[in-house]
Amino acid sequence: MSVLVNKNTRVVVQGITGQAGSFHATQCLEYGTNIVAGVTPGKGGQLFLNKVPVVNTVHDAVTEHGADTSVIFVPPPFAADSILEAIDAGISLIVCITEGIPVRDMAKVKAKLKGSKTRLIGPNCPGIITPGECKIGIMPGYIHRPGKVGIVSRSGTLTYEAVWQVTNLGLGQSTCIGIGGDPIVGTTHIDAIKLFNEDPGTEAIIMIGEIGGDNEERAAAYIKDHVKKPVAAFIAGMTAPAGRRMGHAGAIASGNSGTAEGKVKALKEAGIAVAPTPSEIGQTLFDIYKK
Amino acid sequence: MDIHEYQSKDLFAKYGIPCQFGRSAATSEEIISATEDFPQGEVVVKAQIHAGGRGKGTFIDGYKGGVKVTSSKAEARTIAQKMLGNTLVTNQTGPAGRKVQTIYFAQATNIQKEYYLAILLDRATSMPVIIASTEGGMDIEKVAEESPEKIIRLYIDPLLGLQAYQARLIAYSLGFEGEQVKQMIKLLMNVYRLYDEKDCSQVEINPLITTPEGNIMALDAKINFDDNALFRQPDIRALRDLNEEDPKEIEASRHGLNYIALDGNIACLVNGAGLAMATMDIIKYFGGSPANFLDVGGSANEEQVTNAFKIILSDPNVEGILVNIFGGIMKCDIIANGIIAAAKNVALRVPLVVRLEGTNVALGKKLLQESGLPLVAADSLTEAAQKIVELAA
């Protein structure tokens, strides 16, 4: 079982003919993802890899090819426009990979999402994967294995570390959601944890966070009141200096807000098992889930 | 991106936000011409650096205070000369201090009352928020702790912008009356316009003051910009002061590397910001001290690793390097060859521990071990961190 994406998901790749879009669309197709169309304005009529029809608009992808989910590989100056286009075309789930979108643009996108039925994952994220069924994003497929651990994370490669640890312990993942490293994201930790909590196919949850904002603290409060499944977590950035943006646009802590210490404290107070190092994320979960 | 106070005041002027009469000077000649047409009365002489705490700071030659008030133009010039080119150390600059390359002269103003005004992104709601308070001229975080009821928070719909009724609400809540309400509304609209049009991450005015004559003006100005939006703000980009940035960080950004200098002795080179932070954390966990944050991104090839090594090794404090790469799409044997070639390109003067994981990891490790280079190939991140801490000690 899974949340949000499975083998029936019909994906349109926005930016399919670009460098990142074409490379990753190919990888996703090889994994078995059902990519029904690609969008590059002006290149409608072409055939990607001789099998995926390219159209000019997301609207065409929806009406002509039944796309319900979109993945966006469009450069920062145009990415918000691509998200708005997908919302307008009636896409149910948008996964925006792009890093570097101006905050002002994302504030408008987020306001627009409020009234709509569309869910956004990202931006600045590796994507979402239900192992064995559907890979939408840039994560390496082979490290995953179908299973019952739900993973939500702001990071990319740090998530892969956790995934690989879980896989090597003989467990598997139901769905992994990369929510991204920006200050404004479409799906927060709580949003993902709610889905995992309600998914019969997810029995345990791993939550990976980092400095900046208070999403982890809010998630901790939610978990304390609503989640009975075992939850393990890791927070990156204990050693990050105050006031600096650590790579991710959203990874910035000031004196007393958004710090790693504050997040770890909130998580522990909510009864969540916190891994002391990034090497022990899988084991921390295993100890509370399987032992 | 940060800018100086004098540049912020300049932007305020462009956006119709009233400030004191002010002039900046970057040379001895400019100090003279800047003060020449200054109105009579008291002048505030301010050293321009990006850090705060300037008033209480000390210059490295012993001269005390980066903000001074004087009623004599001649003295203002003397003070400015003492500051220009000097290095100011404050509680926010670190012990090395910051070189002062510009002086800002501001006309001293009588203050009736001090307020606080800021606009920034509220992460919880993803909306811009105006924060206003009658308690200006002090640490707003203290006010928030001790008298939270004195802080007004007003959220702005990003699709609508600041509405007139919202500006009125703030003005009345701050206790303004009559003609000052109109002034305050105009000021708020202009502050929002600046925040929005220039892609600011924050505009802070502390204090915002009323004068005995009834005018509202910004006595201080702090503006920060969204780095992600600089591509579409060329006039803001032009305000960047490289002197305020670490030369290693400037060099790194030239190569598309994300690098932040810290003060430890164990450098790290990682692909992915979250993993890079976690790598710094695990180094500390095992008793070491990280020398930097470095995200090499998706391009961990020979050229990028070479550039990264050169920047890392230019830090004299570095006594060991930990490379941690999770090669998902990138294959570990390709990464290993890149690391080996890079290590040969630079003069490796410190121990190097490499931990690879992902596709073709066994082959990658084999290549590292057979490279003939003095590097250690670790199996796990735990082992890698422990090893580098041991070797760097």
Side-chain angles (χ1 to χ4, degrees), chain A residues 1-12 27-35 68-71 93 95 126-141 144 146 173-177:
Chain A
M1 280 231 59
S2 61
V3 304
L4 297 178
V5 300
N6 56 38
K7 61 185 186 300
N8 299 320
T9 303
R10 302 175 66 81
V11 182
V12 54
Q27 297 266 318
C28 292
L29 281 166
E30 278 171 25
Y31 193 80
T33 303
N34 187 17
I35 298 182
D68 54 42
T69 300
S70 160
V71 61
L93 176 69
V95 183
I128 178 172
I129 179 171
T130 292
E133 298 192 42
C134 180
K135 175 177 113 91
I136 301 179
I138 62 175
M139 65 286 280
H144 302 78
Q173 305 85 24
S174 53
T175 298
C176 298
I177 304 175

Side-chain angles (χ1 to χ4, degrees), chain B residues 35 70-80:
Chain B
T35 46
T70 170
S71 47
S72 147
K73 275 195 195 178
E75 219 209 319
R77 288 179 190 148
T78 311
I79 293 169

Side-chain angles (χ1 to χ4, degrees), chain B residues 23-234:
Chain B
R23 288 276 184 276
S24 59
T27 64
S28 298
E29 293 77 27
E30 284 179 14
I31 287 176
I32 311 244
S33 55
T35 46
E36 219 137 58
D37 60 351
F38 230 79
Q40 285 308 318
E42 290 204 314
V43 186
V44 188
V45 184
K46 298 173 133 187
Q48 297 294 284
I49 57 173
H50 281 178
R54 295 168 292 163
K56 298 204 177 114
T58 306
F59 290 87
I60 53 174
D61 66 354
Y63 187 65
K64 281 188 169 29
V67 177
K68 290 221 147 68
V69 186
T70 170
S71 47
S72 147
K73 275 195 195 178
E75 219 209 319
R77 288 179 190 148
T78 311
I79 293 169
Q81 280 299 150
K82 282 220 175 77
M83 291 181 177
L84 190 63
N86 208 338
T87 298
L88 180 62
V89 181
T90 78
N91 61 4
Q92 291 179 29
T93 59
R98 221 64 78 67
K99 190 158 179 214
V100 177
Q101 298 195 310
T102 306
I103 308 296
Y104 184 65
F105 300 98
Q107 182 182 29
T109 313
N110 290 319
I111 299 174
Q112 168 100 36
K113 182 159 169 51
E114 292 176 304
Y115 300 82
Y116 177 93
L117 179 66
I119 173 165
L120 61 148
L121 177 78
D122 175 57
R123 285 182 69 160
T125 56
S126 299
M127 300 167 81
V129 63
I130 289 183
I131 301 187
S133 176
T134 49
E135 311 309 296
M138 51 185 87
D139 180 358
I140 195 65
E141 305 217 340
K142 255 225 186 94
V143 178
E145 256 181 61
E146 294 167 8
S147 18
E149 73 286 356
K150 296 207 168 126
I151 302 216
I152 302 161
R153 301 178 71 92
L154 186 133
Y155 297 89
I156 300 172
D157 183 328
L159 296 175
L160 294 177
L162 180 63
Q163 296 297 295
Y165 79 85
Q166 294 178 306
R168 287 201 300 275
L169 190 65
I170 295 174
Y172 290 129
S173 301
L174 289 173
F176 287 107
E177 290 175 333
E179 198 272 334
Q180 280 187 333
V181 171
K182 286 203 187 106
Q183 267 191 66
M184 191 59 190
I185 291 172
K186 187 160 175 243
L187 188 145
L188 285 164
M189 292 303 213
N190 286 335
V191 169
Y192 177 74
R193 203 165 45 91
L194 164 61
Y195 170 85
D196 188 55
E197 284 177 10
K198 293 300 178 195
D199 281 303
C200 299
S201 46
Q202 179 178 253
V203 178
E204 188 185 43
I205 303 172
N206 189 18
L208 177 75
I209 64 157
T210 48
T211 66
E213 300 78 29
N215 296 317
I216 306 178
M217 65 167 68
L219 224 60
D220 194 16
K222 251 186 94 202
I223 310 178
N224 305 98
F225 299 91
D226 176 16
D227 285 354
N228 279 359
L230 291 176
F231 72 85
R232 62 185 185 197
Q233 301 283 357

